[in-house]
Amino acid sequence: MSDDEDEIILADMPDEELVPQMHDDLYDGMAEEIKEGVNILLGRGWTPYRVLTEGLVEGMRIVGIDFRDGILFVPEVLLAANAMKAGMAILKPLLAETGAPRLGNMVIGTVKGDIHDIGKNLVTMMMEGAGFEVRDLGINNSVESYIGALNEGDIDILGMSALLTTTMPYMKVVIDTMVEQGMRDDYIVLVGGAPLNEEFGRAIGADAYCRDAAVAVETAKEFMAKKHNRMGAGA
């Protein structure tokens, strides 16, 4: 009896209760409930972009804060990100049709010689959850791989990851090549990974070192806001 009483029926909830419940479900990594919540809101006439921002992005923002503050850890955040991904799978084709605004476009990948990708995958999912379009190049990327992806156009941010002290210097190879080709100033370059620090990020010419996925999202947002302000001032 008590189980029935405790059961939450998402479809019976008004919007003002359903959205916070979706944040809770996202926090708990409940993918099926997130898909159901997304479909309910769409069925009630919500635009895909509103569902994304109020239902998913806001939920991931809360996850990001608790990850930053040490309340949540990588396994829980991966579960939340996977739940968000389940909701995004429904919304992505609809967003493409409606031309919803994006915060920016990012290319990300682990550097040559390095096959670690958990941190990178987490950054990718949280960036998507924040409203960025992300192209993930995977692991073991050469300078040619990064430059090729950037040259495909309309990219704002390059993210590079390394987990080995032996592979992290390769980030400088990529940035130096960008400088040589006269394209460095066209992109925001963010670097991350366990052996890195702010001093290393500055030394290789990156725009910022991001210690975790939550910081990467906030840093990307800040740099994109500055970029838009500069463009606005120059217009």
Side-chain angles (χ1 to χ4, degrees), residues 71-136:
I71 297 165
L72 286 178
F73 298 96
V74 168
E76 291 105 324
V77 179
L78 283 171
L79 277 173
N82 277 322
M84 187 216 73
K85 213 169 183 180
M88 282 292 289
I90 299 166
L91 292 174
K92 251 189 175 172
L94 303 173
L95 289 164
E97 284 172 24
T98 54
R102 306 293 291 169
L103 289 183
N105 297 314
M106 180 182 197
V107 162
I108 192 170
T110 307
V111 297
K112 190 174 181 180
D114 206 315
I115 58 168
H116 296 90
D117 67 355
I118 290 177
K120 171 190 65 63
N121 293 348
L122 194 53
V123 171
T124 298
M125 288 192 279
M126 289 194 63
M127 291 289 284
E128 287 180 341
F132 287 87
E133 189 72 44
V134 183
R135 181 178 171 202
D136 186 350

Short mmCIF file of all heavy atoms in Angstrom, two decimals, residues 71-136:
data_model
loop_
_atom_site.label_atom_id
_atom_site.label_comp_id
_atom_site.label_asym_id
_atom_site.label_seq_id
_atom_site.Cartn_x
_atom_site.Cartn_y
_atom_site.Cartn_z
N ILE A 71 30.42 17.33 -3.36
CA ILE A 71 29.25 16.60 -2.84
C ILE A 71 28.95 15.39 -3.74
O ILE A 71 28.59 14.32 -3.27
CB ILE A 71 28.02 17.54 -2.75
CG1 ILE A 71 28.32 18.67 -1.75
CG2 ILE A 71 26.76 16.77 -2.34
CD1 ILE A 71 27.36 19.85 -1.83
N LEU A 72 29.11 15.60 -5.04
CA LEU A 72 28.97 14.51 -6.01
C LEU A 72 30.35 14.15 -6.56
O LEU A 72 31.23 15.01 -6.63
CB LEU A 72 28.07 14.93 -7.18
CG LEU A 72 26.56 15.04 -6.93
CD1 LEU A 72 25.87 15.51 -8.20
CD2 LEU A 72 25.97 13.72 -6.49
N PHE A 73 30.50 12.89 -6.98
CA PHE A 73 31.77 12.44 -7.55
C PHE A 73 31.55 11.93 -8.97
O PHE A 73 30.42 11.83 -9.43
CB PHE A 73 32.39 11.38 -6.64
CG PHE A 73 32.70 11.91 -5.27
CD1 PHE A 73 31.79 11.72 -4.23
CD2 PHE A 73 33.85 12.63 -5.04
CE1 PHE A 73 32.06 12.23 -2.96
CE2 PHE A 73 34.13 13.15 -3.77
CZ PHE A 73 33.23 12.96 -2.73
N VAL A 74 32.65 11.61 -9.65
CA VAL A 74 32.59 11.28 -11.08
C VAL A 74 31.52 10.22 -11.42
O VAL A 74 30.75 10.42 -12.36
CB VAL A 74 33.98 10.86 -11.61
CG1 VAL A 74 33.88 10.24 -13.00
CG2 VAL A 74 34.90 12.08 -11.67
N PRO A 75 31.41 9.10 -10.68
CA PRO A 75 30.39 8.10 -11.06
C PRO A 75 28.96 8.67 -11.06
O PRO A 75 28.19 8.40 -11.98
CB PRO A 75 30.54 7.01 -10.00
CG PRO A 75 31.95 7.15 -9.51
CD PRO A 75 32.24 8.62 -9.56
N GLU A 76 28.65 9.47 -10.03
CA GLU A 76 27.30 10.05 -9.96
C GLU A 76 27.07 11.06 -11.10
O GLU A 76 25.99 11.13 -11.68
CB GLU A 76 27.07 10.77 -8.63
CG GLU A 76 26.99 9.84 -7.44
CD GLU A 76 28.24 9.89 -6.58
OE1 GLU A 76 29.34 10.02 -7.13
OE2 GLU A 76 28.10 9.79 -5.36
N VAL A 77 28.11 11.83 -11.40
CA VAL A 77 27.97 12.84 -12.46
C VAL A 77 27.82 12.16 -13.82
O VAL A 77 27.06 12.61 -14.67
CB VAL A 77 29.16 13.82 -12.46
CG1 VAL A 77 29.03 14.84 -13.59
CG2 VAL A 77 29.24 14.55 -11.12
N LEU A 78 28.54 11.05 -14.02
CA LEU A 78 28.39 10.31 -15.27
C LEU A 78 26.97 9.77 -15.42
O LEU A 78 26.40 9.79 -16.52
CB LEU A 78 29.39 9.16 -15.33
CG LEU A 78 30.84 9.55 -15.68
CD1 LEU A 78 31.77 8.37 -15.50
CD2 LEU A 78 30.94 10.09 -17.10
N LEU A 79 26.39 9.30 -14.31
CA LEU A 79 25.00 8.82 -14.35
C LEU A 79 24.05 9.96 -14.72
O LEU A 79 23.15 9.80 -15.54
CB LEU A 79 24.61 8.24 -12.99
CG LEU A 79 25.00 6.78 -12.73
CD1 LEU A 79 24.68 6.41 -11.28
CD2 LEU A 79 24.30 5.83 -13.69
N ALA A 80 24.26 11.12 -14.08
CA ALA A 80 23.42 12.29 -14.38
C ALA A 80 23.58 12.70 -15.84
O ALA A 80 22.60 13.00 -16.54
CB ALA A 80 23.78 13.45 -13.46
N ALA A 81 24.82 12.71 -16.31
CA ALA A 81 25.09 13.11 -17.69
C ALA A 81 24.46 12.13 -18.68
O ALA A 81 23.96 12.52 -19.74
CB ALA A 81 26.59 13.22 -17.93
N ASN A 82 24.47 10.86 -18.34
CA ASN A 82 23.84 9.86 -19.22
C ASN A 82 22.32 10.04 -19.25
O ASN A 82 21.69 9.85 -20.29
CB ASN A 82 24.20 8.44 -18.75
CG ASN A 82 25.55 8.00 -19.29
OD1 ASN A 82 25.90 8.29 -20.41
ND2 ASN A 82 26.31 7.32 -18.46
N ALA A 83 21.74 10.40 -18.11
CA ALA A 83 20.29 10.66 -18.07
C ALA A 83 19.97 11.88 -18.94
O ALA A 83 18.98 11.89 -19.68
CB ALA A 83 19.84 10.90 -16.62
N MET A 84 20.83 12.90 -18.84
CA MET A 84 20.63 14.09 -19.66
C MET A 84 20.74 13.75 -21.15
O MET A 84 19.98 14.24 -21.98
CB MET A 84 21.67 15.15 -19.29
CG MET A 84 21.44 16.48 -19.96
SD MET A 84 23.00 17.23 -20.37
CE MET A 84 23.55 16.26 -21.72
N LYS A 85 21.69 12.87 -21.45
CA LYS A 85 21.90 12.45 -22.84
C LYS A 85 20.64 11.77 -23.40
O LYS A 85 20.30 11.93 -24.56
CB LYS A 85 23.09 11.50 -22.90
CG LYS A 85 23.90 11.59 -24.17
CD LYS A 85 25.19 10.81 -24.03
CE LYS A 85 26.04 10.99 -25.29
NZ LYS A 85 27.30 10.24 -25.19
N ALA A 86 19.96 11.00 -22.53
CA ALA A 86 18.73 10.32 -22.94
C ALA A 86 17.66 11.35 -23.31
O ALA A 86 16.93 11.19 -24.30
CB ALA A 86 18.23 9.41 -21.81
N GLY A 87 17.56 12.41 -22.51
CA GLY A 87 16.63 13.49 -22.83
C GLY A 87 17.04 14.25 -24.08
O GLY A 87 16.21 14.62 -24.91
N MET A 88 18.35 14.46 -24.22
CA MET A 88 18.87 15.18 -25.39
C MET A 88 18.62 14.43 -26.69
O MET A 88 18.43 15.06 -27.73
CB MET A 88 20.38 15.41 -25.23
CG MET A 88 20.77 16.53 -24.30
SD MET A 88 20.31 18.15 -24.93
CE MET A 88 21.48 18.33 -26.27
N ALA A 89 18.61 13.10 -26.62
CA ALA A 89 18.37 12.30 -27.83
C ALA A 89 17.00 12.61 -28.41
O ALA A 89 16.81 12.59 -29.63
CB ALA A 89 18.49 10.81 -27.50
N ILE A 90 16.03 12.90 -27.53
CA ILE A 90 14.69 13.28 -27.99
C ILE A 90 14.69 14.71 -28.53
O ILE A 90 14.08 15.02 -29.56
CB ILE A 90 13.67 13.17 -26.83
CG1 ILE A 90 13.60 11.73 -26.32
CG2 ILE A 90 12.29 13.67 -27.27
CD1 ILE A 90 12.89 11.58 -24.98
N LEU A 91 15.42 15.59 -27.84
CA LEU A 91 15.35 17.02 -28.16
C LEU A 91 16.21 17.43 -29.35
O LEU A 91 15.87 18.36 -30.07
CB LEU A 91 15.78 17.84 -26.93
CG LEU A 91 14.84 17.79 -25.72
CD1 LEU A 91 15.46 18.52 -24.54
CD2 LEU A 91 13.48 18.39 -26.08
N LYS A 92 17.35 16.73 -29.56
CA LYS A 92 18.31 17.19 -30.57
C LYS A 92 17.70 17.36 -31.96
O LYS A 92 17.87 18.41 -32.58
CB LYS A 92 19.51 16.25 -30.63
CG LYS A 92 20.77 16.89 -30.06
CD LYS A 92 21.99 16.04 -30.30
CE LYS A 92 23.22 16.82 -29.81
NZ LYS A 92 24.43 16.01 -29.83
N PRO A 93 16.99 16.36 -32.49
CA PRO A 93 16.41 16.56 -33.83
C PRO A 93 15.38 17.69 -33.86
O PRO A 93 15.26 18.41 -34.85
CB PRO A 93 15.76 15.21 -34.15
CG PRO A 93 15.68 14.46 -32.86
CD PRO A 93 16.77 14.99 -31.99
N LEU A 94 14.66 17.87 -32.76
CA LEU A 94 13.66 18.94 -32.69
C LEU A 94 14.34 20.31 -32.62
O LEU A 94 13.88 21.28 -33.22
CB LEU A 94 12.76 18.75 -31.46
CG LEU A 94 12.00 17.41 -31.39
CD1 LEU A 94 11.28 17.27 -30.05
CD2 LEU A 94 11.00 17.31 -32.54
N LEU A 95 15.45 20.37 -31.88
CA LEU A 95 16.21 21.63 -31.77
C LEU A 95 16.79 22.01 -33.13
O LEU A 95 16.82 23.18 -33.50
CB LEU A 95 17.33 21.49 -30.74
CG LEU A 95 16.89 21.41 -29.28
CD1 LEU A 95 18.02 20.90 -28.40
CD2 LEU A 95 16.41 22.77 -28.78
N ALA A 96 17.26 21.00 -33.87
CA ALA A 96 17.82 21.27 -35.20
C ALA A 96 16.76 21.85 -36.13
O ALA A 96 17.02 22.78 -36.90
CB ALA A 96 18.39 19.98 -35.80
N GLU A 97 15.53 21.35 -36.01
CA GLU A 97 14.43 21.86 -36.85
C GLU A 97 14.07 23.29 -36.50
O GLU A 97 13.75 24.10 -37.37
CB GLU A 97 13.17 20.99 -36.63
CG GLU A 97 13.20 19.64 -37.32
CD GLU A 97 12.02 18.78 -36.89
OE1 GLU A 97 10.98 19.35 -36.47
OE2 GLU A 97 12.12 17.55 -36.98
N THR A 98 14.09 23.60 -35.19
CA THR A 98 13.63 24.92 -34.76
C THR A 98 14.75 25.96 -34.74
O THR A 98 14.51 27.13 -34.48
CB THR A 98 13.00 24.85 -33.35
OG1 THR A 98 13.94 24.22 -32.45
CG2 THR A 98 11.73 24.03 -33.36
N GLY A 99 15.99 25.50 -35.00
CA GLY A 99 17.11 26.46 -35.03
C GLY A 99 17.34 27.13 -33.68
O GLY A 99 17.58 28.33 -33.60
N ALA A 100 17.25 26.35 -32.61
CA ALA A 100 17.43 26.92 -31.26
C ALA A 100 18.84 27.45 -31.08
O ALA A 100 19.80 26.90 -31.64
CB ALA A 100 17.15 25.85 -30.22
N PRO A 101 19.00 28.53 -30.33
CA PRO A 101 20.34 29.10 -30.13
C PRO A 101 21.25 28.16 -29.36
O PRO A 101 20.81 27.43 -28.49
CB PRO A 101 20.07 30.37 -29.31
CG PRO A 101 18.75 30.14 -28.66
CD PRO A 101 17.98 29.28 -29.60
N ARG A 102 22.54 28.18 -29.72
CA ARG A 102 23.54 27.40 -29.00
C ARG A 102 24.50 28.39 -28.35
O ARG A 102 24.71 29.48 -28.85
CB ARG A 102 24.33 26.50 -29.95
CG ARG A 102 23.49 25.58 -30.81
CD ARG A 102 22.77 24.53 -30.02
NE ARG A 102 23.68 23.53 -29.46
CZ ARG A 102 23.33 22.62 -28.56
NH1 ARG A 102 22.10 22.60 -28.10
NH2 ARG A 102 24.18 21.73 -28.10
N LEU A 103 25.13 27.97 -27.25
CA LEU A 103 26.09 28.85 -26.58
C LEU A 103 27.39 28.95 -27.37
O LEU A 103 28.09 29.95 -27.30
CB LEU A 103 26.40 28.32 -25.17
CG LEU A 103 25.29 28.45 -24.13
CD1 LEU A 103 25.77 27.96 -22.78
CD2 LEU A 103 24.81 29.90 -24.01
N GLY A 104 27.70 27.91 -28.12
CA GLY A 104 28.94 27.91 -28.89
C GLY A 104 29.24 26.51 -29.39
O GLY A 104 28.55 25.55 -29.04
N ASN A 105 30.28 26.39 -30.22
CA ASN A 105 30.68 25.11 -30.79
C ASN A 105 32.09 24.75 -30.32
O ASN A 105 32.99 25.59 -30.34
CB ASN A 105 30.66 25.18 -32.31
CG ASN A 105 29.26 25.43 -32.84
OD1 ASN A 105 28.31 24.80 -32.40
ND2 ASN A 105 29.12 26.36 -33.76
N MET A 106 32.26 23.49 -29.94
CA MET A 106 33.53 23.04 -29.37
C MET A 106 34.03 21.78 -30.04
O MET A 106 33.25 20.90 -30.39
CB MET A 106 33.35 22.78 -27.86
CG MET A 106 34.59 22.31 -27.13
SD MET A 106 34.22 21.99 -25.38
CE MET A 106 35.88 21.97 -24.69
N VAL A 107 35.36 21.71 -30.20
CA VAL A 107 36.03 20.47 -30.60
C VAL A 107 36.83 20.02 -29.39
O VAL A 107 37.51 20.83 -28.75
CB VAL A 107 36.98 20.72 -31.81
CG1 VAL A 107 37.99 19.58 -31.94
CG2 VAL A 107 36.19 20.86 -33.09
N ILE A 108 36.74 18.74 -29.04
CA ILE A 108 37.47 18.23 -27.88
C ILE A 108 38.10 16.89 -28.19
O ILE A 108 37.55 16.11 -28.98
CB ILE A 108 36.53 18.13 -26.65
CG1 ILE A 108 37.32 17.88 -25.36
CG2 ILE A 108 35.47 17.05 -26.85
CD1 ILE A 108 36.48 18.02 -24.09
N GLY A 109 39.24 16.60 -27.58
CA GLY A 109 39.87 15.30 -27.78
C GLY A 109 41.06 15.13 -26.84
O GLY A 109 41.65 16.11 -26.39
N THR A 110 41.39 13.87 -26.56
CA THR A 110 42.60 13.55 -25.79
C THR A 110 43.79 13.58 -26.74
O THR A 110 43.68 13.16 -27.90
CB THR A 110 42.46 12.15 -25.15
OG1 THR A 110 41.25 12.10 -24.40
CG2 THR A 110 43.61 11.86 -24.22
N VAL A 111 44.95 14.05 -26.25
CA VAL A 111 46.11 14.27 -27.13
C VAL A 111 46.81 12.98 -27.53
O VAL A 111 46.61 11.92 -26.93
CB VAL A 111 47.14 15.22 -26.47
CG1 VAL A 111 46.54 16.59 -26.24
CG2 VAL A 111 47.69 14.63 -25.18
N LYS A 112 47.67 13.11 -28.52
CA LYS A 112 48.42 11.98 -29.09
C LYS A 112 49.19 11.23 -28.00
O LYS A 112 49.82 11.83 -27.14
CB LYS A 112 49.40 12.52 -30.14
CG LYS A 112 50.07 11.44 -30.97
CD LYS A 112 50.91 12.05 -32.06
CE LYS A 112 51.56 10.98 -32.90
NZ LYS A 112 52.38 11.57 -33.97
N GLY A 113 49.09 9.89 -28.07
CA GLY A 113 49.80 9.05 -27.11
C GLY A 113 49.01 8.75 -25.85
O GLY A 113 49.45 7.96 -25.01
N ASP A 114 47.85 9.39 -25.71
CA ASP A 114 47.05 9.24 -24.48
C ASP A 114 45.70 8.62 -24.82
O ASP A 114 45.01 9.11 -25.71
CB ASP A 114 46.86 10.61 -23.82
CG ASP A 114 46.64 10.52 -22.32
OD1 ASP A 114 45.84 9.65 -21.90
OD2 ASP A 114 47.23 11.32 -21.58
N ILE A 115 45.36 7.55 -24.10
CA ILE A 115 44.09 6.87 -24.41
C ILE A 115 43.08 7.00 -23.27
O ILE A 115 42.11 6.25 -23.20
CB ILE A 115 44.32 5.38 -24.73
CG1 ILE A 115 45.02 4.67 -23.55
CG2 ILE A 115 45.14 5.23 -26.01
CD1 ILE A 115 45.03 3.15 -23.65
N HIS A 116 43.28 7.97 -22.37
CA HIS A 116 42.35 8.17 -21.26
C HIS A 116 41.21 9.09 -21.71
O HIS A 116 41.46 10.11 -22.35
CB HIS A 116 43.08 8.79 -20.06
CG HIS A 116 44.13 7.89 -19.50
ND1 HIS A 116 45.43 7.91 -19.94
CD2 HIS A 116 44.06 6.93 -18.54
CE1 HIS A 116 46.12 6.99 -19.27
NE2 HIS A 116 45.32 6.39 -18.42
N ASP A 117 40.00 8.72 -21.35
CA ASP A 117 38.89 9.55 -21.87
C ASP A 117 37.73 9.78 -20.90
O ASP A 117 36.76 10.44 -21.27
CB ASP A 117 38.36 8.98 -23.18
CG ASP A 117 37.68 7.61 -23.01
OD1 ASP A 117 37.70 7.08 -21.88
OD2 ASP A 117 37.15 7.10 -24.00
N ILE A 118 37.82 9.28 -19.65
CA ILE A 118 36.67 9.48 -18.75
C ILE A 118 36.44 10.96 -18.48
O ILE A 118 35.32 11.47 -18.59
CB ILE A 118 36.85 8.70 -17.43
CG1 ILE A 118 36.73 7.20 -17.69
CG2 ILE A 118 35.80 9.12 -16.40
CD1 ILE A 118 36.98 6.34 -16.47
N GLY A 119 37.51 11.67 -18.15
CA GLY A 119 37.39 13.12 -17.88
C GLY A 119 36.88 13.87 -19.10
O GLY A 119 35.99 14.73 -19.00
N LYS A 120 37.44 13.53 -20.26
CA LYS A 120 37.02 14.19 -21.50
C LYS A 120 35.55 13.93 -21.79
O LYS A 120 34.81 14.83 -22.19
CB LYS A 120 37.88 13.69 -22.67
CG LYS A 120 37.40 14.14 -24.04
CD LYS A 120 38.11 13.44 -25.17
CE LYS A 120 37.87 11.97 -25.24
NZ LYS A 120 36.44 11.61 -25.51
N ASN A 121 35.13 12.68 -21.60
CA ASN A 121 33.73 12.33 -21.85
C ASN A 121 32.79 13.10 -20.92
O ASN A 121 31.70 13.52 -21.32
CB ASN A 121 33.51 10.83 -21.66
CG ASN A 121 34.23 10.00 -22.71
OD1 ASN A 121 34.71 10.53 -23.71
ND2 ASN A 121 34.34 8.70 -22.48
N LEU A 122 33.24 13.28 -19.69
CA LEU A 122 32.44 14.02 -18.72
C LEU A 122 32.31 15.49 -19.13
O LEU A 122 31.22 16.07 -19.08
CB LEU A 122 33.09 13.91 -17.34
CG LEU A 122 32.28 14.34 -16.14
CD1 LEU A 122 30.94 13.63 -16.10
CD2 LEU A 122 33.06 14.03 -14.85
N VAL A 123 33.42 16.06 -19.58
CA VAL A 123 33.40 17.45 -20.06
C VAL A 123 32.45 17.56 -21.26
O VAL A 123 31.62 18.47 -21.33
CB VAL A 123 34.81 17.94 -20.45
CG1 VAL A 123 34.75 19.29 -21.16
CG2 VAL A 123 35.70 18.04 -19.21
N THR A 124 32.55 16.61 -22.19
CA THR A 124 31.69 16.62 -23.38
C THR A 124 30.21 16.62 -22.99
O THR A 124 29.42 17.44 -23.47
CB THR A 124 31.99 15.40 -24.27
OG1 THR A 124 33.34 15.47 -24.71
CG2 THR A 124 31.08 15.36 -25.48
N MET A 125 29.84 15.71 -22.09
CA MET A 125 28.43 15.59 -21.71
C MET A 125 27.94 16.82 -20.95
O MET A 125 26.83 17.30 -21.17
CB MET A 125 28.22 14.32 -20.89
CG MET A 125 28.32 13.06 -21.75
SD MET A 125 27.73 11.57 -20.92
CE MET A 125 29.15 11.13 -19.95
N MET A 126 28.80 17.38 -20.09
CA MET A 126 28.37 18.55 -19.33
C MET A 126 28.33 19.80 -20.19
O MET A 126 27.48 20.68 -20.00
CB MET A 126 29.24 18.74 -18.09
CG MET A 126 28.95 17.65 -17.06
SD MET A 126 29.58 17.95 -15.41
CE MET A 126 28.74 19.42 -14.91
N MET A 127 29.22 19.88 -21.17
CA MET A 127 29.18 21.01 -22.11
C MET A 127 27.90 20.93 -22.95
O MET A 127 27.23 21.95 -23.16
CB MET A 127 30.41 21.00 -23.03
CG MET A 127 31.72 21.32 -22.32
SD MET A 127 31.89 23.04 -21.79
CE MET A 127 32.24 23.85 -23.32
N GLU A 128 27.56 19.74 -23.41
CA GLU A 128 26.31 19.58 -24.17
C GLU A 128 25.11 19.93 -23.29
O GLU A 128 24.16 20.56 -23.75
CB GLU A 128 26.19 18.14 -24.69
CG GLU A 128 27.13 17.85 -25.84
CD GLU A 128 27.02 16.42 -26.36
OE1 GLU A 128 26.50 15.55 -25.62
OE2 GLU A 128 27.45 16.18 -27.49
N GLY A 129 25.19 19.51 -22.03
CA GLY A 129 24.11 19.80 -21.10
C GLY A 129 23.95 21.28 -20.83
O GLY A 129 22.86 21.75 -20.49
N ALA A 130 25.04 22.03 -21.01
CA ALA A 130 24.99 23.49 -20.78
C ALA A 130 24.55 24.25 -22.02
O ALA A 130 24.33 25.45 -21.97
CB ALA A 130 26.36 23.98 -20.33
N GLY A 131 24.43 23.54 -23.16
CA GLY A 131 23.96 24.21 -24.37
C GLY A 131 25.00 24.41 -25.46
O GLY A 131 24.79 25.16 -26.41
N PHE A 132 26.16 23.74 -25.33
CA PHE A 132 27.18 23.81 -26.37
C PHE A 132 27.02 22.64 -27.33
O PHE A 132 26.60 21.55 -26.95
CB PHE A 132 28.59 23.74 -25.76
CG PHE A 132 29.02 25.00 -25.05
CD1 PHE A 132 28.71 25.21 -23.73
CD2 PHE A 132 29.74 25.98 -25.72
CE1 PHE A 132 29.09 26.37 -23.06
CE2 PHE A 132 30.13 27.14 -25.08
CZ PHE A 132 29.81 27.34 -23.74
N GLU A 133 27.39 22.88 -28.58
CA GLU A 133 27.48 21.80 -29.57
C GLU A 133 28.92 21.29 -29.51
O GLU A 133 29.85 22.07 -29.65
CB GLU A 133 27.17 22.36 -30.96
CG GLU A 133 27.01 21.31 -32.04
CD GLU A 133 25.72 20.51 -31.91
OE1 GLU A 133 24.66 21.11 -31.66
OE2 GLU A 133 25.80 19.28 -32.03
N VAL A 134 29.11 19.99 -29.26
CA VAL A 134 30.45 19.46 -29.06
C VAL A 134 30.76 18.36 -30.07
O VAL A 134 29.97 17.43 -30.25
CB VAL A 134 30.62 18.89 -27.63
CG1 VAL A 134 32.06 18.41 -27.42
CG2 VAL A 134 30.24 19.93 -26.58
N ARG A 135 31.92 18.48 -30.72
CA ARG A 135 32.42 17.39 -31.57
C ARG A 135 33.57 16.72 -30.84
O ARG A 135 34.62 17.33 -30.61
CB ARG A 135 32.89 17.95 -32.92
CG ARG A 135 33.38 16.82 -33.81
CD ARG A 135 33.82 17.26 -35.18
NE ARG A 135 34.45 16.15 -35.86
CZ ARG A 135 35.30 16.28 -36.88
NH1 ARG A 135 35.58 17.47 -37.34
NH2 ARG A 135 35.85 15.23 -37.43
N ASP A 136 33.36 15.47 -30.44
CA ASP A 136 34.35 14.72 -29.67
C ASP A 136 35.21 13.91 -30.63
O ASP A 136 34.73 13.01 -31.32
CB ASP A 136 33.62 13.81 -28.67
CG ASP A 136 34.58 13.08 -27.74
OD1 ASP A 136 35.80 13.13 -27.97
OD2 ASP A 136 34.09 12.48 -26.77
#
